[in-house]
Amino acid sequence: MRVFVTGASGWIGSATVDELLAAGHEVVGLARSDTSAASLDAKGAQVRRGDLDDLDSIRKGAVTADAVLHLANKHDFDNPAVSNQAERAAVQAIGDVLAGSDRPFLLASGVAGLAQGRAATEDDRSPFQGPDSPRGGSENLALEYVDRRVNTVSVRYAPTVHGDGDHGFIAALVAIAREKGVAGYIGDGTNRWAAVHRSDAAQLTRLGLEKAPAGTLLHAVGEEGVSTREIAEAIGRGLGIPVASVSPQDAQQHFGWISRVFAMDALTSSTRTQELLGWAPSGPSLIEDLDAGYYFRH
């Protein structure tokens, strides 16, 4: 297939591009910088210049593709409305282009906030509706296009997609611990984060593109839940600093913007995803990656 990929040079996107190319697919990646374009070109992917705000370039990429994989996100945590609006606009632009074609459209989503007090499953529909909700309600918007003959599939990634070179949530927690001199967790630290290794996430994304039927919700989750206290303890070991509880009342002051995410209980199952796609995550665990020292080099 000729696959148009937004976010092609990102953390998940770059690994997924490698997976697609290795499987014999033709990849056209959206690149907003010369560095990103050069990286894609070196891999043997084609380049389309543009970014998440360049809806015309996104539409042109989708028009000529056999499938679209939308992984780009602004991740503006200081002004989430900007990210939400851009995400919704991009999903609508892609959906409108693909309408009536039965072509695959995979988009990135997340598992956080799907369920409370139990493991979220692929049966749980996203509670986020409308342009002002997280990610601009993009998952539910994209699924509306199934009735317009778009093969929409949502890939819900764990809060942490970890590995050597990760600059996401775990790296942010390490930076905070280094600055504060203590590796903190909120409350009793029993709330859990689902996790997946980057290589497993990339393989799942490729399998979803090749196999998943329209309307499928996939969970890119290798570990159902790692307690935030375990995460803090691994960070403490890596930095050689003490580990301590931070009260919920003080979490915002201690952790800043990430406190909202770190306080969530994101226990999540991927059993049905694994059965549907024959996917068997085999990469290192989150704690193994932390203990390997990748997050403590700087």
Side-chain angles (χ1 to χ4, degrees), residues 250-273:
D250 296 331
Q252 171 64 36
Q253 181 178 0
H254 183 92
F255 291 103
W257 63 268
I258 203 173
S259 64
R260 301 188 302 274
V261 182
F262 202 38
M264 289 182 174
D265 189 37
L267 183 68
T268 307
S269 169
S270 64
T271 299
R272 293 188 184 181
T273 296

Side-chain angles (χ1 to χ4, degrees), residues 184-254:
Y185 55 89
I186 300 173
D188 61 8
T190 57
N191 60 303
R192 298 147 295 186
W193 268 13
V196 66
H197 191 266
R198 181 189 185 212
S199 61
D200 290 324
Q203 183 188 53
L204 167 65
T205 306
R206 191 254 307 164
L207 289 171
L209 186 75
E210 295 172 345
K211 296 183 177 182
T216 301
L217 304 174
L218 300 175
H219 282 185
V221 170
E223 295 178 272
E224 290 194 355
V226 183
S227 77
T228 52
R229 181 167 183 164
E230 288 181 88
I231 295 171
E233 288 171 345
I235 292 173
R237 287 194 299 273
L239 293 176
I241 59 177
V243 180
S245 171
V246 176
S247 71
Q249 294 82 1
D250 296 331
Q252 171 64 36
Q253 181 178 0
H254 183 92

